[in-house]
Amino acid sequence: MPVLTFANTKGGAGKTTAALILACELAGRGNRVTILDADPRGWISRWHAVAGASSLISVAPVTEETIEALTAKARKRGGYILIDLPSSHDALLAKAVGLADHVLIPVQGCAMDAHGGAEVLELLKELDVSCGVTIPHSVVLTRVNAAVTTRALQAAKDLLASRGIATLSTPIAERAAYRDVFDKGGLLQAMNPAEVSNLSKALHNAAQLTDEIVALMPQKAAPRKPVAKKIAA
Ligand SMILES: Nc1ncnc2c1ncn2[C@@H]1O[C@H](COP(=O)(O)OP(=O)(O)OP(=O)(O)O)[C@@H](O)[C@H]1O
Ligand SMILES: [Mg+2]
């Protein structure tokens, strides 16, 4: 029951899109997925409300007050738990990060999304240094234009690596399918290739991303202590 938290305090970094891509692919492979929608605007909840999503995916809105209890409940359901955060830097972020087995930080380009990604990395460092809680985490490059060369992409990854930041080797490409799926509802895999340009490329990208993330997950996720209380202490 791995918990993955998508975090970046910069709005529009690609958190919700990354979470949905992963949820679709995991469910397409037969996994149960619970998405805890911590964004009051509820994009994932709205997507789920459109008919056609997999019965393997359940979505629950969560707040700072309910996130711990609902994560525990989702752990009992089994499968993967994805937490989609809003861009705020607050106790909700600390709690969602503290509950995670892995924190994914979507970043567009390598400028750390005007420091939004860096803020999450600082929080993770604070947890490590001050509380002795080490939470695995990775940056995932998002909205990468298909025209970007492998070399330019590698340069961005090298720059992040030189700062000691782990970056997934699979970037999330800019794809129409990743936008359209929110309006159409249902799984990415169920979209009509005649209606969505480069759907097969989007699906291939989703599969590669999922392979890499699944390989990062602990075999058996250990129950976590409430880290946010430690931060407040
Ligand atoms: N890989 C992608 N391909 C195409 N469009 C994308 C991609 N990633 C994000 N977008 C678009 O960029 C916008 C912002 O993305 P998204 O909502 O995922 O970011 P967010 O970090 O969740 O934002 P917020 O902080 O507001 O919750 C949306 O319009 C989304 O459709
Ligand atoms: Mg979002």
Side-chain angles (χ1 to χ4, degrees), residues 6-19 21 39 41 43 84-88 106 108 113 141-144 172-180 182 205:
F6 294 79
N8 187 325
T9 56
K10 167 80 171 25
K15 300 177 285 293
T16 303
T17 306
I21 293 170
D39 187 339
R41 289 170 306 166
W43 295 115
D84 182 34
L85 283 169
S87 50
S88 49
Q108 294 178 33
D113 267 348
L141 297 173
T142 57
R143 301 198 75 172
V144 173
I172 300 176
E174 170 91 24
R175 292 285 172 210
Y178 299 155
R179 275 192 304 272
D180 295 353
F182 281 92
N205 188 196

Side-chain angles (χ1 to χ4, degrees), residues 76-221:
K76 287 189 189 132
R77 183 174 179 252
Y80 287 81
I81 301 162
L82 313 184
I83 303 179
D84 182 34
L85 283 169
S87 50
S88 49
H89 190 327
D90 53 13
L92 174 64
L93 170 71
K95 282 188 180 178
V97 160
L99 287 162
D101 293 294
H102 201 98
V103 176
L104 283 166
I105 307 163
V107 163
Q108 294 178 33
C110 59
M112 293 312 288
D113 267 348
H115 307 301
E119 280 188 346
V120 176
L121 289 163
E122 276 161 27
L123 173 64
L124 287 158
K125 197 169 171 190
E126 189 189 328
L127 280 171
D128 195 356
V129 174
S130 312
C131 308
V133 178
T134 309
I135 300 168
H137 54 275
S138 318
V139 160
V140 53
L141 297 173
T142 57
R143 301 198 75 172
V144 173
N145 191 298
V148 167
T149 61
T150 317
R151 211 166 143 189
L153 203 58
Q154 193 54 50
K157 287 179 195 166
D158 290 348
L159 182 65
L160 290 163
S162 73
R163 296 175 189 168
I165 301 164
T167 308
L168 296 188
S169 27
T170 312
I172 300 176
E174 170 91 24
R175 292 285 172 210
Y178 299 155
R179 275 192 304 272
D180 295 353
V181 69
F182 281 92
D183 296 328
K184 293 190 190 297
L187 297 186
L188 273 170
Q189 298 86 331
M191 295 179 94
N192 183 348
E195 288 177 5
V196 185
S197 63
N198 288 313
L199 179 59
S200 62
K201 287 184 180 164
L203 292 177
H204 180 66
N205 188 196
Q208 274 195 322
L209 178 78
T210 306
D211 286 343
E212 194 176 351
I213 292 172
V214 167
L216 287 172
M217 292 304 105
Q219 288 302 305
K220 202 165 189 292

Side-chain angles (χ1 to χ4, degrees), residues 4 6 14-24 33-51 53-54 57-62 81-86 178 181-187:
L4 281 139
F6 294 79
K15 300 177 285 293
T16 303
T17 306
L20 190 58
I21 293 170
L22 185 65
C24 287
V33 182
T34 302
I35 309 176
L36 300 179
D37 186 0
D39 187 339
R41 289 170 306 166
W43 295 115
I44 295 259
S45 302
R46 289 189 215 189
W47 163 80
H48 195 241
V50 183
S54 163
I57 300 181
S58 67
V59 178
V62 292
I81 301 162
L82 313 184
I83 303 179
D84 182 34
L85 283 169
Y178 299 155
V181 69
F182 281 92
D183 296 328
K184 293 190 190 297
L187 297 186

